[in-house]
Amino acid sequence: MAAITVTEFNQFMKQELAWMYKLGIRAETISEGEAIIRLEIIKELLRPGETVAGPFIMALADVAMYAVVVSKRGGTKMAVTTNLNINFLRRSASGTLRAYGR
């Protein structure tokens, strides 16, 4: 059983990570050691050519890993990212992006 529910995680984001919450990043599912986080793509997140801007994709991945950590440890404000590296192999489709973390 996860140490935090989807509702608790989304409420935590709304209160403590408001800028990510305002972007539309939400947890869909959280189980112990796994999470699915989604981002609804809106036009403000697009670069020219209808490409999702990389920083938003990286934020989505970062939140997914944060959700995985708190699924095992419970809510903690100080679980911070020390390194994140992404290689963009192709452009992202618009619509809904999902990050699967475990």
Side-chain angles (χ1 to χ4, degrees):
M1 175 177 234
I4 193 168
T5 68
V6 169
T7 301
E8 292 167 337
F9 185 82
N10 286 332
Q11 186 63 34
F12 175 80
M13 282 191 42
K14 186 175 183 180
Q15 292 173 344
E16 302 294 335
L17 301 169
W19 69 273
M20 285 197 180
Y21 190 84
K22 288 177 183 176
L23 284 176
I25 295 176
R26 302 287 187 281
E28 279 189 1
T29 65
I30 297 178
S31 58
E32 186 176 1
E34 296 185 2
I36 300 173
I37 309 297
R38 78 170 184 276
L39 173 60
E40 301 292 334
I41 301 303
I42 57 174
K43 72 176 186 172
E44 289 80 11
L45 304 182
L46 297 176
R47 296 173 34 125
E50 303 295 306
T51 300
V52 180
F56 301 115
I57 298 170
M58 293 180 81
L60 180 64
D62 191 40
V63 171
M65 290 314 302
Y66 181 71
V68 170
V69 169
V70 298
S71 79
K72 300 206 50 96
R73 300 191 68 206
T76 175
K77 294 179 186 179
M78 295 310 297
V80 297
T81 304
T82 57
N83 186 48
L84 175 62
N85 181 52
I86 293 180
N87 295 308
F88 298 100
L89 301 177
R90 62 183 167 133
R91 64 183 241 164
S92 173
S94 58
T96 302
L97 294 182
R98 286 181 176 79
Y100 298 82
R102 48 171 209 188

